Amino acid sequence: MSMKTKVGHVHRHAFTDLNARQKEGLTFSGRRGFMKAGLAGMAGLTVPSLLRWRSGQINAGNSISHRKSVILLWMAGGPSHIDTWDVKPERPYENRGPFGVIQTSVPGIEICEHLPKQAAMMDRFTLIRSVDARGSNHEPNRVFQTGNPQAAPRVNAKGDLYPAIGSVISRFRGSNHPGMPAYVAFMKSRSHLAFSGYLGKRYDPFIADRASRLPVYDYVGEDTGRVTGADLFQLPGGLTQSRIYKRQELFKDFDRLRNHLDLHGSMEAMDSFHQQAIEMVAGRRAQEAFDLSAEDERVRARYGSHLWCQQALVARRLVERGVSFVTLDLSYHPASGTWDTHGDNLPPYGGIERGLGPLLPLFDHLLTTLVNDLQERRLLEDVLVVAMGEFGRTPLIGTQGSTDGRNHWPEVMSMCLAGGGLRHGQVIGATEKDGGHIKERPVTPGDFAATVYHHMEVPRDATYLDSSGRPHYIVVDGEPVRELI
């Protein structure tokens, strides 16, 4: 099979399908919509059955950590492994690319020169250079966010139905605090994110883009000077928090959506788990977690004003307060992703030097600031930080008529991990001399999922049912990466 056949850029361009009129994430336009979102779809608020399950686990004497969580830094578009974490300094320019390399704090490990902060603290990171990304694609990006090679909607009509790892965690573990959602995501495009699929929409991510006051960037990464309104938690007119807690008034707002409730009963007669569910919607804990104005100014300054860095700070606040899984969609535009560096002569993509080059110092700062902050707060042992995209890039540069672009290359990619109580300061796996194929120790999407579930204390033999009632294991052909645990 020729390289052109394997890696052709077949998806539409960044500006051909912006879905400007499509509503994304959690939306509501009135009281009915608000209550519906709160009770049925506050994405990851697994009420009340999950709360019962967790209570049952505790009553049975099973230990459940209340601090374990994951932050996924999703580099939408597929970052070049050769120009980031799997450098090839001895190779010719058309293979190694335009960047130099830098020695890290761990002898023998080199990475791209534009990641100096990570290099200085490499003892806290693990690089996996032999990730098998065959079958993974983008728009939509599903395989690695589900850990399932069948989650490829472009070639599998049911690819969208395999649940995200975050949704599985929401279903089988839940949040670390009853007042918080389990699975939260900042999303630039629905095609960049995996959802709950067969598990049902209540395990979808809570889309948080309008939950915090954050800067608004345009599709080429320029700050517009505008700020999101953080209006997601604002109640519709006439619906106050005190009113929510008044049982008779609350039932009036519920009756069209939850007819099976006894509208003539009292709040005290409700199952205690339903009371907790209401607290999730009406309580202050989640709102305060998203409120960056409550954060120490020195910490906010350390992260910096860039949108992605501010989102990383919100992610830290979320896991600190009980969220189990947070995904940051690191992309400026809603098409294939900002890291899709083909070398097109347009600002969103660019090539390696003009497209990837400006992203790396920003990412270096975001990643290391987040890891340092988690460590200072004694959270790093419990919070697993993962950075990756959906595949690597071609060994040869100059694709699509560009001087230094690289096409999709699902044969292999790299990923980076920190925290989670895992073993770090190492490189796992290796590629051939040109970085084009796995040389040793392949790591599959199933292995990645199994590693995350191991960290999150979710049984890897757990199953869920598809629409026909057939069971599926949450881990497909995978085992936890032994070098990490």
Side-chain angles (χ1 to χ4, degrees), residues 435-458:
H437 296 84
I438 295 173
K439 179 181 180 181
E440 59 188 41
R441 184 59 178 103
V443 173
T444 67
D447 295 333
F448 169 67
T451 303
V452 174
Y453 294 140
H454 173 85
H455 164 68
M456 293 299 294
E457 302 170 345
V458 173

mmCIF file with all atom_site columns, all heavy atoms in Angstrom, residues 435-458:
data_model
loop_
_atom_site.group_PDB
_atom_site.id
_atom_site.type_symbol
_atom_site.label_atom_id
_atom_site.label_alt_id
_atom_site.label_comp_id
_atom_site.label_asym_id
_atom_site.label_entity_id
_atom_site.label_seq_id
_atom_site.pdbx_PDB_ins_code
_atom_site.Cartn_x
_atom_site.Cartn_y
_atom_site.Cartn_z
_atom_site.occupancy
_atom_site.B_iso_or_equiv
_atom_site.pdbx_formal_charge
_atom_site.auth_seq_id
_atom_site.auth_comp_id
_atom_site.auth_asym_id
_atom_site.auth_atom_id
_atom_site.pdbx_PDB_model_num
ATOM 1   N N   . GLY A 1 435 ? 11.150  6.644  12.614 1.00 0.00 ? 435 GLY A N   1
ATOM 2   C CA  . GLY A 1 435 ? 9.937   6.945  13.358 1.00 0.00 ? 435 GLY A CA  1
ATOM 3   C C   . GLY A 1 435 ? 8.665   6.508  12.675 1.00 0.00 ? 435 GLY A C   1
ATOM 4   O O   . GLY A 1 435 ? 7.574   6.890  13.102 1.00 0.00 ? 435 GLY A O   1
ATOM 5   N N   . GLY A 1 436 ? 8.774   5.662  11.639 1.00 0.00 ? 436 GLY A N   1
ATOM 6   C CA  . GLY A 1 436 ? 7.601   5.316  10.855 1.00 0.00 ? 436 GLY A CA  1
ATOM 7   C C   . GLY A 1 436 ? 6.807   4.130  11.354 1.00 0.00 ? 436 GLY A C   1
ATOM 8   O O   . GLY A 1 436 ? 5.616   4.030  11.054 1.00 0.00 ? 436 GLY A O   1
ATOM 9   N N   . HIS A 1 437 ? 7.447   3.230  12.084 1.00 0.00 ? 437 HIS A N   1
ATOM 10  C CA  . HIS A 1 437 ? 6.763   2.034  12.545 1.00 0.00 ? 437 HIS A CA  1
ATOM 11  C C   . HIS A 1 437 ? 7.261   1.651  13.931 1.00 0.00 ? 437 HIS A C   1
ATOM 12  O O   . HIS A 1 437 ? 8.349   2.052  14.357 1.00 0.00 ? 437 HIS A O   1
ATOM 13  C CB  . HIS A 1 437 ? 6.976   0.863  11.574 1.00 0.00 ? 437 HIS A CB  1
ATOM 14  C CG  . HIS A 1 437 ? 6.380   1.090  10.225 1.00 0.00 ? 437 HIS A CG  1
ATOM 15  N ND1 . HIS A 1 437 ? 7.058   1.790  9.235  1.00 0.00 ? 437 HIS A ND1 1
ATOM 16  C CD2 . HIS A 1 437 ? 5.169   0.744  9.697  1.00 0.00 ? 437 HIS A CD2 1
ATOM 17  C CE1 . HIS A 1 437 ? 6.293   1.853  8.154  1.00 0.00 ? 437 HIS A CE1 1
ATOM 18  N NE2 . HIS A 1 437 ? 5.144   1.222  8.413  1.00 0.00 ? 437 HIS A NE2 1
ATOM 19  N N   . ILE A 1 438 ? 6.458   0.866  14.625 1.00 0.00 ? 438 ILE A N   1
ATOM 20  C CA  . ILE A 1 438 ? 6.823   0.418  15.959 1.00 0.00 ? 438 ILE A CA  1
ATOM 21  C C   . ILE A 1 438 ? 7.949   -0.614 15.862 1.00 0.00 ? 438 ILE A C   1
ATOM 22  O O   . ILE A 1 438 ? 7.858   -1.587 15.105 1.00 0.00 ? 438 ILE A O   1
ATOM 23  C CB  . ILE A 1 438 ? 5.603   -0.199 16.673 1.00 0.00 ? 438 ILE A CB  1
ATOM 24  C CG1 . ILE A 1 438 ? 4.529   0.883  16.893 1.00 0.00 ? 438 ILE A CG1 1
ATOM 25  C CG2 . ILE A 1 438 ? 6.011   -0.830 18.003 1.00 0.00 ? 438 ILE A CG2 1
ATOM 26  C CD1 . ILE A 1 438 ? 3.217   0.333  17.434 1.00 0.00 ? 438 ILE A CD1 1
ATOM 27  N N   . LYS A 1 439 ? 8.974   -0.399 16.644 1.00 0.00 ? 439 LYS A N   1
ATOM 28  C CA  . LYS A 1 439 ? 10.103  -1.326 16.705 1.00 0.00 ? 439 LYS A CA  1
ATOM 29  C C   . LYS A 1 439 ? 9.920   -2.323 17.839 1.00 0.00 ? 439 LYS A C   1
ATOM 30  O O   . LYS A 1 439 ? 10.197  -3.516 17.686 1.00 0.00 ? 439 LYS A O   1
ATOM 31  C CB  . LYS A 1 439 ? 11.409  -0.556 16.877 1.00 0.00 ? 439 LYS A CB  1
ATOM 32  C CG  . LYS A 1 439 ? 12.645  -1.438 16.974 1.00 0.00 ? 439 LYS A CG  1
ATOM 33  C CD  . LYS A 1 439 ? 13.895  -0.596 17.158 1.00 0.00 ? 439 LYS A CD  1
ATOM 34  C CE  . LYS A 1 439 ? 15.139  -1.476 17.257 1.00 0.00 ? 439 LYS A CE  1
ATOM 35  N NZ  . LYS A 1 439 ? 16.367  -0.642 17.467 1.00 0.00 ? 439 LYS A NZ  1
ATOM 36  N N   . GLU A 1 440 ? 9.464   -1.826 18.977 1.00 0.00 ? 440 GLU A N   1
ATOM 37  C CA  . GLU A 1 440 ? 9.311   -2.708 20.136 1.00 0.00 ? 440 GLU A CA  1
ATOM 38  C C   . GLU A 1 440 ? 8.235   -2.184 21.083 1.00 0.00 ? 440 GLU A C   1
ATOM 39  O O   . GLU A 1 440 ? 7.974   -0.998 21.141 1.00 0.00 ? 440 GLU A O   1
ATOM 40  C CB  . GLU A 1 440 ? 10.625  -2.838 20.902 1.00 0.00 ? 440 GLU A CB  1
ATOM 41  C CG  . GLU A 1 440 ? 11.194  -1.524 21.415 1.00 0.00 ? 440 GLU A CG  1
ATOM 42  C CD  . GLU A 1 440 ? 12.584  -1.676 22.006 1.00 0.00 ? 440 GLU A CD  1
ATOM 43  O OE1 . GLU A 1 440 ? 13.392  -2.423 21.428 1.00 0.00 ? 440 GLU A OE1 1
ATOM 44  O OE2 . GLU A 1 440 ? 12.852  -1.015 23.036 1.00 0.00 ? 440 GLU A OE2 1
ATOM 45  N N   . ARG A 1 441 ? 7.608   -3.062 21.785 1.00 0.00 ? 441 ARG A N   1
ATOM 46  C CA  . ARG A 1 441 ? 6.642   -2.815 22.847 1.00 0.00 ? 441 ARG A CA  1
ATOM 47  C C   . ARG A 1 441 ? 5.413   -2.006 22.386 1.00 0.00 ? 441 ARG A C   1
ATOM 48  O O   . ARG A 1 441 ? 5.163   -0.888 22.853 1.00 0.00 ? 441 ARG A O   1
ATOM 49  C CB  . ARG A 1 441 ? 7.330   -2.117 24.024 1.00 0.00 ? 441 ARG A CB  1
ATOM 50  C CG  . ARG A 1 441 ? 6.465   -1.871 25.271 1.00 0.00 ? 441 ARG A CG  1
ATOM 51  C CD  . ARG A 1 441 ? 5.905   -3.179 25.841 1.00 0.00 ? 441 ARG A CD  1
ATOM 52  N NE  . ARG A 1 441 ? 5.119   -2.972 27.056 1.00 0.00 ? 441 ARG A NE  1
ATOM 53  C CZ  . ARG A 1 441 ? 3.796   -2.999 27.098 1.00 0.00 ? 441 ARG A CZ  1
ATOM 54  N NH1 . ARG A 1 441 ? 3.095   -3.192 25.989 1.00 0.00 ? 441 ARG A NH1 1
ATOM 55  N NH2 . ARG A 1 441 ? 3.166   -2.843 28.249 1.00 0.00 ? 441 ARG A NH2 1
ATOM 56  N N   . PRO A 1 442 ? 4.620   -2.559 21.469 1.00 0.00 ? 442 PRO A N   1
ATOM 57  C CA  . PRO A 1 442 ? 3.412   -1.830 21.054 1.00 0.00 ? 442 PRO A CA  1
ATOM 58  C C   . PRO A 1 442 ? 2.428   -1.674 22.208 1.00 0.00 ? 442 PRO A C   1
ATOM 59  O O   . PRO A 1 442 ? 2.241   -2.576 23.018 1.00 0.00 ? 442 PRO A O   1
ATOM 60  C CB  . PRO A 1 442 ? 2.832   -2.707 19.939 1.00 0.00 ? 442 PRO A CB  1
ATOM 61  C CG  . PRO A 1 442 ? 3.400   -4.069 20.182 1.00 0.00 ? 442 PRO A CG  1
ATOM 62  C CD  . PRO A 1 442 ? 4.752   -3.858 20.772 1.00 0.00 ? 442 PRO A CD  1
ATOM 63  N N   . VAL A 1 443 ? 1.781   -0.517 22.260 1.00 0.00 ? 443 VAL A N   1
ATOM 64  C CA  . VAL A 1 443 ? 0.747   -0.210 23.247 1.00 0.00 ? 443 VAL A CA  1
ATOM 65  C C   . VAL A 1 443 ? -0.524  0.133  22.478 1.00 0.00 ? 443 VAL A C   1
ATOM 66  O O   . VAL A 1 443 ? -0.525  1.035  21.634 1.00 0.00 ? 443 VAL A O   1
ATOM 67  C CB  . VAL A 1 443 ? 1.161   0.953  24.162 1.00 0.00 ? 443 VAL A CB  1
ATOM 68  C CG1 . VAL A 1 443 ? 0.007   1.373  25.072 1.00 0.00 ? 443 VAL A CG1 1
ATOM 69  C CG2 . VAL A 1 443 ? 2.388   0.569  24.997 1.00 0.00 ? 443 VAL A CG2 1
ATOM 70  N N   . THR A 1 444 ? -1.584  -0.581 22.756 1.00 0.00 ? 444 THR A N   1
ATOM 71  C CA  . THR A 1 444 ? -2.823  -0.449 21.995 1.00 0.00 ? 444 THR A CA  1
ATOM 72  C C   . THR A 1 444 ? -3.812  0.487  22.697 1.00 0.00 ? 444 THR A C   1
ATOM 73  O O   . THR A 1 444 ? -3.649  0.802  23.882 1.00 0.00 ? 444 THR A O   1
ATOM 74  C CB  . THR A 1 444 ? -3.492  -1.818 21.822 1.00 0.00 ? 444 THR A CB  1
ATOM 75  O OG1 . THR A 1 444 ? -3.941  -2.275 23.113 1.00 0.00 ? 444 THR A OG1 1
ATOM 76  C CG2 . THR A 1 444 ? -2.523  -2.833 21.217 1.00 0.00 ? 444 THR A CG2 1
ATOM 77  N N   . PRO A 1 445 ? -4.874  0.901  21.994 1.00 0.00 ? 445 PRO A N   1
ATOM 78  C CA  . PRO A 1 445 ? -5.930  1.663  22.669 1.00 0.00 ? 445 PRO A CA  1
ATOM 79  C C   . PRO A 1 445 ? -6.512  0.915  23.862 1.00 0.00 ? 445 PRO A C   1
ATOM 80  O O   . PRO A 1 445 ? -6.834  1.524  24.893 1.00 0.00 ? 445 PRO A O   1
ATOM 81  C CB  . PRO A 1 445 ? -6.976  1.858  21.565 1.00 0.00 ? 445 PRO A CB  1
ATOM 82  C CG  . PRO A 1 445 ? -6.188  1.823  20.298 1.00 0.00 ? 445 PRO A CG  1
ATOM 83  C CD  . PRO A 1 445 ? -5.100  0.821  20.537 1.00 0.00 ? 445 PRO A CD  1
ATOM 84  N N   . GLY A 1 446 ? -6.653  -0.414 23.740 1.00 0.00 ? 446 GLY A N   1
ATOM 85  C CA  . GLY A 1 446 ? -7.149  -1.207 24.856 1.00 0.00 ? 446 GLY A CA  1
ATOM 86  C C   . GLY A 1 446 ? -6.210  -1.180 26.045 1.00 0.00 ? 446 GLY A C   1
ATOM 87  O O   . GLY A 1 446 ? -6.650  -1.155 27.205 1.00 0.00 ? 446 GLY A O   1
ATOM 88  N N   . ASP A 1 447 ? -4.903  -1.194 25.786 1.00 0.00 ? 447 ASP A N   1
ATOM 89  C CA  . ASP A 1 447 ? -3.928  -1.088 26.873 1.00 0.00 ? 447 ASP A CA  1
ATOM 90  C C   . ASP A 1 447 ? -4.055  0.248  27.591 1.00 0.00 ? 447 ASP A C   1
ATOM 91  O O   . ASP A 1 447 ? -3.952  0.318  28.821 1.00 0.00 ? 447 ASP A O   1
ATOM 92  C CB  . ASP A 1 447 ? -2.504  -1.241 26.330 1.00 0.00 ? 447 ASP A CB  1
ATOM 93  C CG  . ASP A 1 447 ? -2.220  -2.617 25.747 1.00 0.00 ? 447 ASP A CG  1
ATOM 94  O OD1 . ASP A 1 447 ? -2.858  -3.593 26.179 1.00 0.00 ? 447 ASP A OD1 1
ATOM 95  O OD2 . ASP A 1 447 ? -1.367  -2.702 24.835 1.00 0.00 ? 447 ASP A OD2 1
ATOM 96  N N   . PHE A 1 448 ? -4.245  1.301  26.805 1.00 0.00 ? 448 PHE A N   1
ATOM 97  C CA  . PHE A 1 448 ? -4.414  2.622  27.407 1.00 0.00 ? 448 PHE A CA  1
ATOM 98  C C   . PHE A 1 448 ? -5.645  2.652  28.294 1.00 0.00 ? 448 PHE A C   1
ATOM 99  O O   . PHE A 1 448 ? -5.594  3.110  29.446 1.00 0.00 ? 448 PHE A O   1
ATOM 100 C CB  . PHE A 1 448 ? -4.503  3.692  26.319 1.00 0.00 ? 448 PHE A CB  1
ATOM 101 C CG  . PHE A 1 448 ? -4.926  5.033  26.831 1.00 0.00 ? 448 PHE A CG  1
ATOM 102 C CD1 . PHE A 1 448 ? -4.104  5.771  27.674 1.00 0.00 ? 448 PHE A CD1 1
ATOM 103 C CD2 . PHE A 1 448 ? -6.176  5.569  26.499 1.00 0.00 ? 448 PHE A CD2 1
ATOM 104 C CE1 . PHE A 1 448 ? -4.501  7.008  28.173 1.00 0.00 ? 448 PHE A CE1 1
ATOM 105 C CE2 . PHE A 1 448 ? -6.579  6.798  26.982 1.00 0.00 ? 448 PHE A CE2 1
ATOM 106 C CZ  . PHE A 1 448 ? -5.740  7.512  27.829 1.00 0.00 ? 448 PHE A CZ  1
ATOM 107 N N   . ALA A 1 449 ? -6.777  2.165  27.781 1.00 0.00 ? 449 ALA A N   1
ATOM 108 C CA  . ALA A 1 449 ? -8.012  2.154  28.570 1.00 0.00 ? 449 ALA A CA  1
ATOM 109 C C   . ALA A 1 449 ? -7.833  1.330  29.837 1.00 0.00 ? 449 ALA A C   1
ATOM 110 O O   . ALA A 1 449 ? -8.255  1.745  30.926 1.00 0.00 ? 449 ALA A O   1
ATOM 111 C CB  . ALA A 1 449 ? -9.161  1.606  27.729 1.00 0.00 ? 449 ALA A CB  1
ATOM 112 N N   . ALA A 1 450 ? -7.212  0.160  29.718 1.00 0.00 ? 450 ALA A N   1
ATOM 113 C CA  . ALA A 1 450 ? -7.012  -0.698 30.884 1.00 0.00 ? 450 ALA A CA  1
ATOM 114 C C   . ALA A 1 450 ? -6.156  -0.012 31.933 1.00 0.00 ? 450 ALA A C   1
ATOM 115 O O   . ALA A 1 450 ? -6.386  -0.168 33.143 1.00 0.00 ? 450 ALA A O   1
ATOM 116 C CB  . ALA A 1 450 ? -6.375  -2.020 30.451 1.00 0.00 ? 450 ALA A CB  1
ATOM 117 N N   . THR A 1 451 ? -5.170  0.769  31.502 1.00 0.00 ? 451 THR A N   1
ATOM 118 C CA  . THR A 1 451 ? -4.309  1.499  32.433 1.00 0.00 ? 451 THR A CA  1
ATOM 119 C C   . THR A 1 451 ? -5.102  2.563  33.183 1.00 0.00 ? 451 THR A C   1
ATOM 120 O O   . THR A 1 451 ? -4.952  2.736  34.395 1.00 0.00 ? 451 THR A O   1
ATOM 121 C CB  . THR A 1 451 ? -3.130  2.140  31.680 1.00 0.00 ? 451 THR A CB  1
ATOM 122 O OG1 . THR A 1 451 ? -2.408  1.119  30.974 1.00 0.00 ? 451 THR A OG1 1
ATOM 123 C CG2 . THR A 1 451 ? -2.191  2.853  32.632 1.00 0.00 ? 451 THR A CG2 1
ATOM 124 N N   . VAL A 1 452 ? -5.957  3.272  32.454 1.00 0.00 ? 452 VAL A N   1
ATOM 125 C CA  . VAL A 1 452 ? -6.782  4.299  33.098 1.00 0.00 ? 452 VAL A CA  1
ATOM 126 C C   . VAL A 1 452 ? -7.749  3.661  34.083 1.00 0.00 ? 452 VAL A C   1
ATOM 127 O O   . VAL A 1 452 ? -7.916  4.141  35.214 1.00 0.00 ? 452 VAL A O   1
ATOM 128 C CB  . VAL A 1 452 ? -7.542  5.127  32.051 1.00 0.00 ? 452 VAL A CB  1
ATOM 129 C CG1 . VAL A 1 452 ? -8.514  6.088  32.725 1.00 0.00 ? 452 VAL A CG1 1
ATOM 130 C CG2 . VAL A 1 452 ? -6.568  5.899  31.170 1.00 0.00 ? 452 VAL A CG2 1
ATOM 131 N N   . TYR A 1 453 ? -8.389  2.574  33.689 1.00 0.00 ? 453 TYR A N   1
ATOM 132 C CA  . TYR A 1 453 ? -9.337  1.911  34.597 1.00 0.00 ? 453 TYR A CA  1
ATOM 133 C C   . TYR A 1 453 ? -8.623  1.352  35.825 1.00 0.00 ? 453 TYR A C   1
ATOM 134 O O   . TYR A 1 453 ? -9.173  1.373  36.932 1.00 0.00 ? 453 TYR A O   1
ATOM 135 C CB  . TYR A 1 453 ? -10.091 0.805  33.869 1.00 0.00 ? 453 TYR A CB  1
ATOM 136 C CG  . TYR A 1 453 ? -11.002 1.309  32.778 1.00 0.00 ? 453 TYR A CG  1
ATOM 137 C CD1 . TYR A 1 453 ? -11.122 0.627  31.565 1.00 0.00 ? 453 TYR A CD1 1
ATOM 138 C CD2 . TYR A 1 453 ? -11.753 2.473  32.948 1.00 0.00 ? 453 TYR A CD2 1
ATOM 139 C CE1 . TYR A 1 453 ? -11.954 1.085  30.567 1.00 0.00 ? 453 TYR A CE1 1
ATOM 140 C CE2 . TYR A 1 453 ? -12.585 2.940  31.948 1.00 0.00 ? 453 TYR A CE2 1
ATOM 141 C CZ  . TYR A 1 453 ? -12.674 2.240  30.753 1.00 0.00 ? 453 TYR A CZ  1
ATOM 142 O OH  . TYR A 1 453 ? -13.502 2.705  29.761 1.00 0.00 ? 453 TYR A OH  1
ATOM 143 N N   . HIS A 1 454 ? -7.415  0.837  35.629 1.00 0.00 ? 454 HIS A N   1
ATOM 144 C CA  . HIS A 1 454 ? -6.626  0.372  36.776 1.00 0.00 ? 454 HIS A CA  1
ATOM 145 C C   . HIS A 1 454 ? -6.400  1.518  37.754 1.00 0.00 ? 454 HIS A C   1
ATOM 146 O O   . HIS A 1 454 ? -6.584  1.361  38.962 1.00 0.00 ? 454 HIS A O   1
ATOM 147 C CB  . HIS A 1 454 ? -5.294  -0.189 36.288 1.00 0.00 ? 454 HIS A CB  1
ATOM 148 C CG  . HIS A 1 454 ? -4.348  -0.545 37.392 1.00 0.00 ? 454 HIS A CG  1
ATOM 149 N ND1 . HIS A 1 454 ? -4.375  -1.755 38.049 1.00 0.00 ? 454 HIS A ND1 1
ATOM 150 C CD2 . HIS A 1 454 ? -3.340  0.172  37.978 1.00 0.00 ? 454 HIS A CD2 1
ATOM 151 C CE1 . HIS A 1 454 ? -3.444  -1.780 38.985 1.00 0.00 ? 454 HIS A CE1 1
ATOM 152 N NE2 . HIS A 1 454 ? -2.800  -0.627 38.965 1.00 0.00 ? 454 HIS A NE2 1
ATOM 153 N N   . HIS A 1 455 ? -6.010  2.660  37.226 1.00 0.00 ? 455 HIS A N   1
ATOM 154 C CA  . HIS A 1 455 ? -5.800  3.831  38.079 1.00 0.00 ? 455 HIS A CA  1
ATOM 155 C C   . HIS A 1 455 ? -7.081  4.239  38.794 1.00 0.00 ? 455 HIS A C   1
ATOM 156 O O   . HIS A 1 455 ? -7.059  4.566  39.990 1.00 0.00 ? 455 HIS A O   1
ATOM 157 C CB  . HIS A 1 455 ? -5.278  4.996  37.240 1.00 0.00 ? 455 HIS A CB  1
ATOM 158 C CG  . HIS A 1 455 ? -5.387  6.328  37.905 1.00 0.00 ? 455 HIS A CG  1
ATOM 159 N ND1 . HIS A 1 455 ? -4.643  6.679  39.016 1.00 0.00 ? 455 HIS A ND1 1
ATOM 160 C CD2 . HIS A 1 455 ? -6.168  7.409  37.624 1.00 0.00 ? 455 HIS A CD2 1
ATOM 161 C CE1 . HIS A 1 455 ? -4.962  7.902  39.398 1.00 0.00 ? 455 HIS A CE1 1
ATOM 162 N NE2 . HIS A 1 455 ? -5.885  8.367  38.578 1.00 0.00 ? 455 HIS A NE2 1
ATOM 163 N N   . MET A 1 456 ? -8.201  4.196  38.084 1.00 0.00 ? 456 MET A N   1
ATOM 164 C CA  . MET A 1 456 ? -9.476  4.667  38.630 1.00 0.00 ? 456 MET A CA  1
ATOM 165 C C   . MET A 1 456 ? -10.224 3.599  39.423 1.00 0.00 ? 456 MET A C   1
ATOM 166 O O   . MET A 1 456 ? -11.345 3.826  39.862 1.00 0.00 ? 456 MET A O   1
ATOM 167 C CB  . MET A 1 456 ? -10.368 5.192  37.504 1.00 0.00 ? 456 MET A CB  1
ATOM 168 C CG  . MET A 1 456 ? -9.838  6.466  36.846 1.00 0.00 ? 456 MET A CG  1
ATOM 169 S SD  . MET A 1 456 ? -9.684  7.845  37.994 1.00 0.00 ? 456 MET A SD  1
ATOM 170 C CE  . MET A 1 456 ? -11.389 8.153  38.414 1.00 0.00 ? 456 MET A CE  1
ATOM 171 N N   . GLU A 1 457 ? -9.624  2.430  39.577 1.00 0.00 ? 457 GLU A N   1
ATOM 172 C CA  . GLU A 1 457 ? -10.218 1.358  40.378 1.00 0.00 ? 457 GLU A CA  1
ATOM 173 C C   . GLU A 1 457 ? -11.558 0.889  39.809 1.00 0.00 ? 457 GLU A C   1
ATOM 174 O O   . GLU A 1 457 ? -12.480 0.535  40.544 1.00 0.00 ? 457 GLU A O   1
ATOM 175 C CB  . GLU A 1 457 ? -10.372 1.800  41.837 1.00 0.00 ? 457 GLU A CB  1
ATOM 176 C CG  . GLU A 1 457 ? -9.054  2.207  42.472 1.00 0.00 ? 457 GLU A CG  1
ATOM 177 C CD  . GLU A 1 457 ? -9.218  2.864  43.837 1.00 0.00 ? 457 GLU A CD  1
ATOM 178 O OE1 . GLU A 1 457 ? -10.354 3.261  44.166 1.00 0.00 ? 457 GLU A OE1 1
ATOM 179 O OE2 . GLU A 1 457 ? -8.225  2.971  44.569 1.00 0.00 ? 457 GLU A OE2 1
ATOM 180 N N   . VAL A 1 458 ? -11.656 0.904  38.486 1.00 0.00 ? 458 VAL A N   1
ATOM 181 C CA  . VAL A 1 458 ? -12.830 0.380  37.802 1.00 0.00 ? 458 VAL A CA  1
ATOM 182 C C   . VAL A 1 458 ? -12.503 -1.041 37.349 1.00 0.00 ? 458 VAL A C   1
ATOM 183 O O   . VAL A 1 458 ? -11.508 -1.248 36.653 1.00 0.00 ? 458 VAL A O   1
ATOM 184 C CB  . VAL A 1 458 ? -13.204 1.254  36.587 1.00 0.00 ? 458 VAL A CB  1
ATOM 185 C CG1 . VAL A 1 458 ? -14.316 0.599  35.780 1.00 0.00 ? 458 VAL A CG1 1
ATOM 186 C CG2 . VAL A 1 458 ? -13.625 2.642  37.039 1.00 0.00 ? 458 VAL A CG2 1
#
